[in-house]
Amino acid sequence: MAQRSSEETPENSSTPTAPGGGALAELVPGSGTIVLAATPIGNLSDASPRLIELMRTAHVVAAEDTRRLLHLANALGVRIPGRIVSYHEHNEASRIAELLETVQAGATLLVVSDAGMPAVSDPGFRLVEAAVAADVAVTAVPGPSAVLTALSLSGLPTDRFTFEGFLPRKTGDRAARLADLADERRTMVFFEAPHRLAAMLRALAEAFGSSRQAAVARELTKMHEEVRRGPLDALVVWAEEGVRGEIAVVVSGKTEADAEDDVDHVAAVQAMMDSGVRLKDAVAAVAERDRISKRELYAAVVAARQ
């Protein structure tokens, strides 16, 4: 979930100046493999021995940002003897045929993103999809994951969860996505940019209710790691002061108590309507009294009446 850079170093077959390189094996057609490898999300010490070995021995390394790859290699004391190519969201589709051809010729292709696991909210999925269709071997080197790290530190249920990535930026699209998640019972994990965090948390509170429990994890595994936990309304107040760093947001799923509250809220609206109050006014009054989403309450009342 690292921030992307708009600049990029040219593709090259050069290597970092750090020591520790390895020899490349001879290509044997039909023996190639694509390896998706996780890179550190913050602390460089989280780089696995398998990742380091592959950096030394892969014939080709496809990196989301080649400069970040070279920085990581130098920090780890690794010399990359293989060819380095860029592979990111803007050239992913055009790169696939070339990369598959290279692997089919017998090469080991190492795929890395800026941070964490490739193909999870990062480039890689389309390559794996094409590799499966072409019967090309694919494996993975597991490692750091912002999703799992944030989930495990959140203090929220971890037995069942769903990863939702980044919400749409446009207000209407974001509201529609959250409406689809209104009845989600599993814990939800999102990514968000720091400058949009307060607006995102307000949207979550509007969709799920201000008392829904959540956690905001930032700068995971780094020196200034922080996890803020609490109801959404409290997290909104905190975020409005300004937040920096890489962000993951974990939100509790809908509980049985939430479902029972929904029934009570609908009943309260219906009672007010029976006494002559208009639907819109009754919904607004109950929503303000109980600090819940007017949009969600209105939808629930309409559904109950149908």
Side-chain angles (χ1 to χ4, degrees), residues 12 17 25 61 77 110 143 146 151 154 156 160 170 196 201 206 213 219 252 261:
N12 62 82
T17 57
V61 182
L110 174 63
L151 178 67
S154 68
L156 299 172
R160 298 176 68 235
K170 294 183 178 179
R196 293 195 299 267
L201 292 173
E206 176 70 14
Q213 292 296 306
E219 295 294 86
S252 173
D261 287 343

Side-chain angles (χ1 to χ4, degrees), residues 1-299:
M1 53 182 254
Q3 297 295 320
R4 310 293 188 258
S5 172
S6 59
E7 300 179 5
E8 180 182 297
T9 50
E11 296 152 25
N12 62 82
S13 57
S14 63
T15 58
T17 57
L24 300 181
E26 183 179 350
L27 296 182
V28 178
S31 65
T33 303
I34 298 172
V35 185
L36 307 178
T39 55
I41 60 175
N43 194 317
L44 293 179
S45 297
D46 292 335
S48 72
R50 289 181 65 195
L51 169 65
I52 293 172
E53 181 63 20
L54 280 161
M55 292 171 68
R56 290 171 172 158
T57 59
H59 298 92
V60 181
V61 182
E64 188 174 8
D65 186 323
T66 57
R67 292 170 305 177
R68 285 179 180 267
L69 171 66
L70 294 177
H71 174 76
L72 175 62
N74 278 314
L76 296 175
V78 176
R79 177 178 173 274
I80 301 178
R83 184 165 64 98
I84 299 172
V85 300
S86 64
Y87 179 67
H88 48 72
E89 61 179 334
H90 301 297
N91 70 359
E92 185 175 14
S94 62
R95 278 277 190 242
I96 290 176
E98 171 195 342
L99 293 176
L100 285 183
E101 183 178 347
T102 300
V103 176
Q104 288 168 329
T108 296
L109 169 63
L110 174 63
V111 180
V112 295
S113 64
D114 289 346
M117 195 72 192
V120 180
S121 200
D122 275 321
F125 161 71
R126 290 186 178 88
L127 178 61
V128 174
E129 182 181 42
V132 171
D135 198 25
V136 170
V138 184
T139 188
V141 173
S145 165
V147 176
L148 296 180
T149 303
L151 178 67
S152 64
L153 294 177
S154 68
L156 299 172
T158 59
D159 53 335
R160 298 176 68 235
F161 71 95
T162 175
F163 173 57
E164 296 297 328
F166 287 91
L167 289 171
R169 295 187 184 186
K170 294 183 178 179
T171 302
D173 294 340
R174 183 174 58 198
R177 174 78 66 81
L178 292 177
D180 289 340
L181 295 172
D183 292 324
E184 177 59 67
R185 297 299 184 99
R186 295 169 294 181
T187 300
M188 295 166 279
V189 184
F190 303 87
F191 286 162
E192 190 52 275
H195 63 280
R196 293 195 299 267
L197 178 62
M200 181 242 198
L201 292 173
R202 283 194 294 270
L204 291 173
E206 176 70 14
F208 303 149
S210 59
S211 62
R212 181 75 66 91
Q213 292 296 306
V216 177
R218 70 177 196 91
E219 295 294 86
L220 290 171
T221 77
K222 299 178 184 178
M223 180 181 297
H224 299 293
E225 175 180 286
E226 179 182 20
V227 181
R228 285 272 180 160
R229 307 173 183 87
L232 284 169
D233 56 357
L235 292 175
V236 168
V237 174
W238 166 72
E240 286 175 340
E241 297 177 358
V243 179
R244 295 181 179 181
E246 303 292 338
I247 303 291
V249 179
V250 187
V251 184
S252 173
K254 189 173 185 177
T255 66
E256 292 295 340
D258 292 331
E260 292 174 1
D261 287 343
D262 287 347
V263 174
D264 292 341
H265 296 143
V266 170
V269 170
Q270 188 60 55
M272 294 182 69
M273 291 173 60
D274 291 342
S275 65
V277 178
R278 294 187 308 165
L279 170 59
K280 182 178 179 180
D281 294 335
V283 167
V286 174
E288 182 178 1
R289 182 195 71 188
D290 296 337
R291 301 177 67 187
I292 59 175
S293 166
K294 287 192 293 185
R295 183 185 296 109
E296 294 300 318
L297 178 55
Y298 185 90

